[in-house]
Amino acid sequence: MDIGVVLQCTPPASRVVELARVAETHGFSHVWTFDSHLLWQEPYVIYSQILAVTRKVVVGPMVTNPATRDWTVTASTFATLNEMFGNRTICGIGRGDSAVRTLGGRPSNLATLRESIGVIRELGNGRPVSLGDTTVRLPWAADSRLPVWVAGYGPRALDLTGEVADGFILQLADPDIAAWTIARVRAAAERAGRDPSEVKICVAAPAYITDGTEAALKHAREQCRWFGGMVGNHVADIVARYGADAAIPAALTDYIAGRQGYDYNQHGRAGNTHAEFVPDAIVDRFCVLGTPDDHLARLHELESLGVDQFAVYLQHDAKTSTLDAYGESVLPRLAHPVTATTTE
């Protein structure tokens, strides 16, 4: 299993670049960022600097959207980075949330998302694509390679992912919900005549290493409670569209009953006052908290479900120590499990 990291482009940009560099030294495979240009700095500018100071990590947004970014410009940006630094980019995309809503807009519909995936991927891989009555291509991008991974929770979004995406991004680490979403994506891929195993699976969630004490776990929960609020914001849209009784796990929908609005000025921020409705049990299920052994147990469980990458959301007060702890106590043991031996 690969381990990635998800950063916010919070000033100073040099700090974001440094966290990415440190992540690579510890063996992280991917550096993802939020893509909300009003809330944080422009990620694509920062990607060029990350790629310049690293050798192997793959960079991309978790996630961009079809509404605030011109599809052809998005593809050209990735292809340019690939030409400059080798094929080390990836495009995570969804219907749109904070980047769209902070402008007073609404998320794109699934038909638009599907069309944008095709345009971005074809152009980003040096192939021609039709835009209305016009066929366009990036004539200088023949060697560019760009996978497109899709983020979603609802049934139709999961079906779309299985039908057309190179990978699936699930933004929570609950094994039961992961099992349901992965099964739905794979079933859709099979119906579309694809090999389901070719759709890569990424689970992304906050991770916080503790010393095993109850006080440390309580602090970790408070630092990560914002994530349940962010997920709840997406879930509220799903419930509005499908109803609470739709074929969606109750574990994903029940907890939002106490939700009262959402302030995007606190989006993705520890201490978000609009996440107070999120109970401890949801924080524990959606995030990965505890000792290195606790993290390894959850990661192995996710891996057994077919997860190819776990991406660590690093929006809390222990950014560097989390990277260090994963590099020293999690990644080496994940790659080379230690088995007990006995002697007679």
Side-chain angles (χ1 to χ4, degrees), residues 135-212:
T135 299
V136 298
R137 63 185 296 264
L138 304 175
W140 45 268
D143 294 330
S144 176
R145 297 295 177 266
L146 177 67
V148 179
W149 293 14
V150 175
Y153 299 99
R156 290 177 58 208
L158 298 174
D159 291 346
L160 180 152
T161 301
E163 290 162 6
V164 303
D166 298 305
F168 165 52
I169 298 170
L170 173 64
Q171 291 164 305
L172 57 80
D174 179 272
D176 291 338
I177 296 173
W180 175 76
T181 57
I182 292 169
R184 181 104 190 190
V185 168
R186 287 177 169 166
E190 188 168 9
R191 287 195 305 272
R194 306 179 66 195
D195 180 350
S197 67
E198 291 183 356
V199 182
K200 299 297 183 182
I201 308 294
C202 174
V203 163
Y208 202 110
I209 299 281
T210 74
D211 60 8

Side-chain angles (χ1 to χ4, degrees), residues 4 31 33 35 47 52 61 81 88 97 104-105 109 126 139 145 189 200 206 210 215 220 241 255 293 314 318 320 334:
V31 175
T33 73
D35 180 9
Y47 294 157
L81 292 172
R88 293 169 56 198
D97 183 41
N109 60 39
R145 297 295 177 266
K200 299 297 183 182
T210 74
R241 179 180 295 269
Y255 83 98
D293 285 345
L314 211 61
T320 301
L334 187 65

Side-chain angles (χ1 to χ4, degrees), residues 43-338:
Y44 295 94
V45 176
I46 295 173
Y47 294 157
S48 67
Q49 295 300 305
I50 292 173
L51 290 167
V53 300
T54 57
R55 296 183 300 112
K56 295 181 180 180
V57 292
V58 174
V59 305
M62 188 181 283
V63 293
T64 192
N65 69 87
T68 61
R69 304 282 185 182
D70 180 274
W71 309 343
T72 63
V73 175
T74 295
S76 179
T77 301
F78 283 119
T80 300
L81 292 172
N82 284 340
E83 191 280 325
M84 293 173 67
F85 301 104
N87 288 314
R88 293 169 56 198
T89 66
I90 187 168
C91 180
I93 192 168
R95 294 175 57 228
D97 183 41
S98 58
V100 178
R101 296 186 192 274
T102 51
L103 293 170
R106 296 174 59 84
S108 301
N109 60 39
L110 291 176
T112 299
L113 176 59
R114 181 188 295 269
E115 185 181 2
S116 72
I117 292 166
V119 171
I120 292 169
R121 182 166 52 202
E122 293 305 293
L123 292 178
N125 284 278
R127 298 187 290 263
V129 66
S130 295
L131 283 173
D133 296 329
T134 304
T135 299
V136 298
R137 63 185 296 264
L138 304 175
W140 45 268
D143 294 330
S144 176
R145 297 295 177 266
L146 177 67
V148 179
W149 293 14
V150 175
Y153 299 99
R156 290 177 58 208
L158 298 174
D159 291 346
L160 180 152
T161 301
E163 290 162 6
V164 303
D166 298 305
F168 165 52
I169 298 170
L170 173 64
Q171 291 164 305
L172 57 80
D174 179 272
D176 291 338
I177 296 173
W180 175 76
T181 57
I182 292 169
R184 181 104 190 190
V185 168
R186 287 177 169 166
E190 188 168 9
R191 287 195 305 272
R194 306 179 66 195
D195 180 350
S197 67
E198 291 183 356
V199 182
K200 299 297 183 182
I201 308 294
C202 174
V203 163
Y208 202 110
I209 299 281
T210 74
D211 60 8
T213 64
E214 186 58 35
L217 181 58
K218 180 179 179 180
H219 177 77
R221 285 177 179 142
E222 292 310 312
Q223 286 293 305
C224 298
R225 197 175 304 276
W226 66 267
F227 184 70
M230 185 189 81
V231 172
N233 202 46
H234 295 291
V235 172
D237 280 346
I238 297 172
V239 172
R241 179 180 295 269
Y242 297 101
D245 297 327
I248 303 168
L252 184 58
T253 58
D254 283 355
Y255 83 98
I256 67 166
R259 176 182 177 272
Q260 296 180 350
Y262 193 80
D263 182 359
Y264 277 95
N265 290 313
Q266 301 183 58
H267 186 63
R269 183 183 302 173
N272 185 333
T273 58
H274 290 75
E276 293 173 350
F277 72 93
V278 180
D280 288 352
I282 288 293
V283 181
D284 292 347
R285 289 169 58 184
F286 283 15
C287 306
V288 183
L289 314 176
T291 66
D293 285 345
D294 294 328
H295 285 244
L296 282 163
R298 179 72 68 86
L299 295 179
H300 283 306
E301 186 173 6
L302 292 171
E303 190 174 33
S304 71
L305 297 174
V307 174
D308 300 290
Q309 180 185 157
F310 176 66
V312 175
Y313 271 95
L314 211 61
Q315 287 70 52
H316 50 56
D317 63 358
K319 295 178 178 63
T320 301
S321 62
T322 298
L323 292 177
D324 291 345
Y326 259 69
E328 295 167 5
S329 303
V330 177
L331 268 76
R333 296 165 63 193
L334 187 65
H336 304 289
V338 177

